[in-house]
Amino acid sequence: MDDCGLSQGRLGTLGRMRAVSVIPGQENSLYLDTNAPEPDPDEGPVLVEAIAVGICGTDREVIAGEYGEAPPGAKRLILGHESLGRVLEDPTRTFAPGDLVAGIVRHPDPVPCPNCAAGEWDMCRNGRFTEHGIKARHGFARDRWRVQPDHAIRLAPTLDAVGVLLEPTSVVAKAWEHIERIGERARWTPRTALVTGAGPIGLLAALLGVQRGLEVHVLDRATAGPKPALAARLGAVYHHRGVPDLDLEPDVALECTGAPTVVLDVMEKIGPNGIACLTGVSSGGRRIALDAGHLNRQLVLENNVIFGTVNANRRHWRQAADALLQADIRWLDDLITRRVPLDRYPDAYTSPGNDVKAVLEFG
Ligand SMILES: [Zn+2]
Ligand SMILES: [Zn+2]
């Protein structure tokens, strides 16, 4: 090993690398750049070798040209916001070579707004934040990437097969933190939680609900595939009919489908003093009838709170790392229903079908 923690063998591989890339705004521009330059040292002193990136709907939106922005002055954007890698070098000695890390997705806006100034970039006020693999900052779907030490989260070595789930877990860790902060406006003794949608966000939200000792109900349309068993193995009750058919008044609901009728049903379903947390991004454009007076009356008379949540800050990423460490690793491993090697990268971005989480593997 030399001073920077790189072996000569490793140095021999440096120079050019592979990077899953798109031209933002251009539909289906996904390609594998096999001659990408090494990560710019300006991106941070911590050099990381990629193990895997997770794929989600956001990646598919960027590939479809609906979303995404290249870094300033660049035409292309390297994809990947759900990361896992191994530290190659860190001259700041925050990390040791070999440490398992994930990179935090969002960076504070440059103004910064009062929230970003306080490290709460998930609550950015002006929308000028940047995000790896999504907005004005290259992502982690490349052989090597760099980060600032305070934008990397260390994971226990036992999480090397499943640590790529840290990013979606950070999103639900924030959701649960905010639910609890809202709950504490009065005496707070929740017993039941309803999670709508058994994708990765829904199932991870259910995991964190079970870890809090709640009776968790998971609702999804799927009657086949891995979802019912994944919910059952958590100790959650699985439902596949509509929300109105449920015989319960949940204290907490986490809506993870973004489907407009489900969102409204969840708002109606929560019990007295209930809290409904919305995490699903709807596409909009579809109108459904709503008795706004009835809904308002119920929200007022039952002290209900409906709130939205997105993204996560460093505190939530740390909470997520703790949650993964407490979870059954085999369950987390089974949440990853598809592992695609980099040379078959287009397969990783196809529509989910019976997938829960697809992961693109480097190495
Ligand atoms: Zn994602
Ligand atoms: Zn901000």
Side-chain angles (χ1 to χ4, degrees):
M1 291 290 198
D2 65 11
D3 283 350
C4 62
L6 284 170
S7 69
Q8 285 305 314
R10 174 68 61 198
L11 274 173
T13 67
L14 298 180
R16 307 302 279 186
M17 59 176 195
R18 302 168 298 173
V20 181
S21 308
V22 293
I23 314 287
Q26 191 174 311
E27 196 180 344
N28 297 327
S29 60
L30 181 70
Y31 69 104
L32 183 67
D33 185 352
T34 55
N35 196 29
E38 288 293 325
D40 188 334
D42 284 352
E43 293 180 79
V46 186
L47 179 64
V48 180
E49 177 179 47
I51 295 174
V53 292
I55 313 294
C56 78
T58 302
D59 297 289
R60 286 187 281 271
E61 280 178 27
V62 174
I63 292 167
E66 294 163 8
Y67 201 57
E69 183 185 329
K75 272 208 175 69
R76 59 152 197 173
L77 170 72
I78 299 174
L79 274 182
H81 59 278
E82 304 181 7
S83 64
L84 180 68
R86 224 175 261 294
V87 172
L88 289 172
E89 64 169 19
D90 177 12
T92 72
R93 299 188 188 276
T94 310
F95 298 98
D99 277 0
L100 202 61
V101 291
I104 292 178
V105 176
R106 189 177 286 191
H107 288 246
D109 77 74
V111 174
C113 76
N115 289 63
C116 285
E120 305 230 329
W121 49 73
D122 55 314
M123 305 292 282
C124 180
R125 296 279 296 271
N126 62 24
R128 291 179 59 192
F129 56 82
T130 57
E131 290 178 331
H132 285 284
I134 303 171
K135 190 170 181 284
R137 199 175 273 272
H138 282 315
F140 304 110
R142 43 181 161 162
D143 284 315
R144 287 170 290 281
W145 39 270
R146 285 183 174 275
V147 277
Q148 299 294 338
D150 62 359
H151 256 67
I153 299 290
R154 186 187 280 106
L155 284 156
T158 51
L159 295 173
D160 60 350
V162 297
V164 72
L165 295 171
L166 189 64
E167 193 275 344
T169 309
S170 74
V171 170
V172 297
K174 175 190 171 185
W176 274 107
E177 183 198 76
H178 284 209
I179 287 166
E180 285 163 346
R181 288 189 177 187
I182 293 166
E184 281 157 13
R185 68 196 159 142
R187 187 167 154 73
W188 176 240
T189 53
R191 200 178 62 81
T192 53
L194 169 65
V195 176
T196 48
I201 293 289
L203 286 167
L204 289 167
L207 167 71
L208 269 65
V210 169
Q211 288 181 342
R212 283 161 169 75
L214 298 177
E215 178 190 307
V216 178
H217 296 256
V218 176
L219 183 144
D220 192 283
R221 284 186 301 198
T223 53
K227 291 175 179 179
L230 282 165
R233 282 166 62 195
L234 279 179
V237 184
Y238 187 82
H239 306 267
H240 61 86
R241 291 189 212 286
V243 174
D245 295 337
L246 290 178
D247 185 20
L248 83 145
E249 284 194 322
D251 300 305
V252 175
L254 285 114
E255 205 300 301
C256 307
T257 70
T261 52
V262 182
V263 173
L264 285 179
D265 287 346
V266 162
M267 290 180 187
E268 298 251 350
K269 198 67 182 174
I270 49 174
N273 306 339
I275 300 169
C277 171
L278 310 181
T279 72
V281 182
S282 314
S283 39
R286 195 179 142 218
R287 288 171 181 273
I288 50 177
L290 163 70
D291 183 344
H294 169 81
L295 181 61
N296 176 68
R297 179 185 167 84
Q298 182 202 309
L299 296 179
V300 170
L301 295 182
E302 296 201 337
N303 294 299
N304 289 158
V305 175
I306 317 285
F307 78 100
T309 180
V310 70
N311 199 256
N313 66 42
R314 190 181 297 112
R315 184 174 71 246
H316 307 126
W317 282 77
R318 295 221 169 97
Q319 292 164 359
D322 288 344
L324 290 185
L325 197 56
Q326 288 172 40
D328 175 358
I329 287 185
R330 286 164 304 176
W331 184 85
L332 294 171
D333 195 42
D334 288 343
L335 203 63
I336 300 172
T337 42
R338 220 150 46 93
R339 295 179 180 272
V340 179
L342 185 60
D343 56 7
R344 291 201 284 112
Y345 71 97
D347 294 350
Y349 295 93
T350 54
S351 290
N354 259 343
D355 268 353
V356 177
K357 173 60 82 182
V359 160
L360 186 61
E361 293 191 317
F362 288 71

